[in-house]
Amino acid sequence: MVNIITIAGTKYMVDVGFGGNGPTSPLPLEPNTIHERIPPSEMRLLHSSIPQHTDPTQRLWLYQARESDSSEWQTQYCFTETEFLPCDYEMMNFWTIQSRTSIFTQAILVAKMVMEDGRLVGTVTMFNGEAKRKVRKEIEERKCCASEEERVRVLREWFGVVLTAEERRGISGLVTELKG
């Protein structure tokens, strides 16, 4: 979910939930301005149409990231400046947590930023049963979980997420359960 905030007359895009490739600081709604992410990666916004548009005059904000200044830009997502109301979020959230085609019902996704001396230097991520700690573009540690017990331990030790017994039982029988 992207939030647009205005400070001293300048609009910023803020997104704290996208994960490892997401923005690491508020981005002013200024097209083509390059900002540092986790060095050496970079991020920017474009104000452009997308190939799916039937009206090429429509414009969206495209959030893009790249690994370094020699890498290709990759569009991560796009958004508008249209205000959404609580009922809009309820419907979007319902689809996200119920649809069989939503990645959030098909995978376990966790992301955490790594800070050193007040600067972002890396990420800790989990996708299903694989956890990685990546600092300054290098994978420092990788853990492949073979069981739910192991994944619960990694969630606690790497991410500080402590699950109750009821929460641990909640994954039983789901497509995301590790059966090892």
Side-chain angles (χ1 to χ4, degrees), residues 48-56 60 62 75 78:
S48 180
S49 62
I50 58 174
Q52 295 90 335
H53 278 154
T54 56
D55 176 359
L60 296 171
L62 282 67
T75 299
C78 55

Side-chain angles (χ1 to χ4, degrees), residues 16-59:
V16 297
F18 186 67
N21 285 336
T24 54
S25 63
L27 292 176
L29 293 186
E30 300 168 353
N32 300 315
T33 303
I34 297 174
H35 302 270
E36 182 178 88
R37 275 189 73 247
I38 300 167
S41 66
E42 298 173 321
M43 59 186 171
R44 72 177 180 186
L45 293 174
L46 296 182
H47 199 235
S48 180
S49 62
I50 58 174
Q52 295 90 335
H53 278 154
T54 56
D55 176 359
T57 64
Q58 289 187 82
R59 295 287 180 261

Side-chain angles (χ1 to χ4, degrees), residues 52 78 86 99 123 129 132 144 159-160 162:
Q52 295 90 335
C78 55
S99 173
T123 58
K132 290 188 279 192
C144 291
F159 298 93
V162 179

Side-chain angles (χ1 to χ4, degrees), residues 5-171:
I5 60 172
T6 303
I7 300 174
T10 301
K11 289 183 178 182
Y12 294 85
M13 175 270 258
V14 180
D15 181 353
V16 297
F18 186 67
N21 285 336
T24 54
S25 63
L27 292 176
L29 293 186
E30 300 168 353
N32 300 315
T33 303
I34 297 174
H35 302 270
E36 182 178 88
R37 275 189 73 247
I38 300 167
S41 66
E42 298 173 321
M43 59 186 171
R44 72 177 180 186
L45 293 174
L46 296 182
H47 199 235
S48 180
S49 62
I50 58 174
Q52 295 90 335
H53 278 154
T54 56
D55 176 359
T57 64
Q58 289 187 82
R59 295 287 180 261
L60 296 171
W61 288 100
L62 282 67
Y63 168 70
Q64 295 186 325
R66 65 180 177 181
E67 289 296 314
S68 70
D69 61 4
S70 62
S71 301
E72 293 291 319
W73 288 102
Q74 300 293 318
T75 299
Q76 303 297 311
Y77 58 81
C78 55
F79 61 95
T80 70
E81 293 182 59
T82 302
E83 181 177 8
F84 288 91
L85 303 174
C87 60
D88 299 314
Y89 289 109
E90 288 173 16
M91 185 48 96
M92 289 184 281
N93 187 52
F94 180 80
W95 183 88
T96 301
I97 64 171
Q98 295 292 322
S99 173
R100 286 193 154 116
T101 61
S102 168
I103 192 169
F104 298 105
T105 62
Q106 301 300 309
I108 301 294
L109 304 152
V110 186
K112 176 180 162 181
M113 300 299 170
V114 177
M115 304 278 291
E116 282 182 5
D117 301 321
R119 289 185 52 106
L120 280 172
V121 296
T123 58
V124 181
T125 59
M126 176 182 278
F127 183 78
N128 288 328
E130 183 180 16
K132 290 188 279 192
R133 178 180 167 87
K134 186 176 177 182
V135 176
R136 292 180 195 84
K137 207 174 166 187
E138 300 295 325
I139 296 175
E140 289 187 342
E141 192 172 0
R142 181 187 306 254
K143 175 74 175 166
C144 291
C145 304
S147 67
E148 278 307 315
E149 183 179 288
E150 201 171 3
R151 180 162 52 189
V152 166
R153 185 173 48 255
V154 170
L155 285 169
R156 184 182 65 246
E157 293 171 1
W158 288 35
F159 298 93
V161 175
V162 179
L163 300 175
T164 65
E166 182 180 5
E167 290 167 333
R168 290 191 303 271
R169 286 190 304 272
I171 200 165

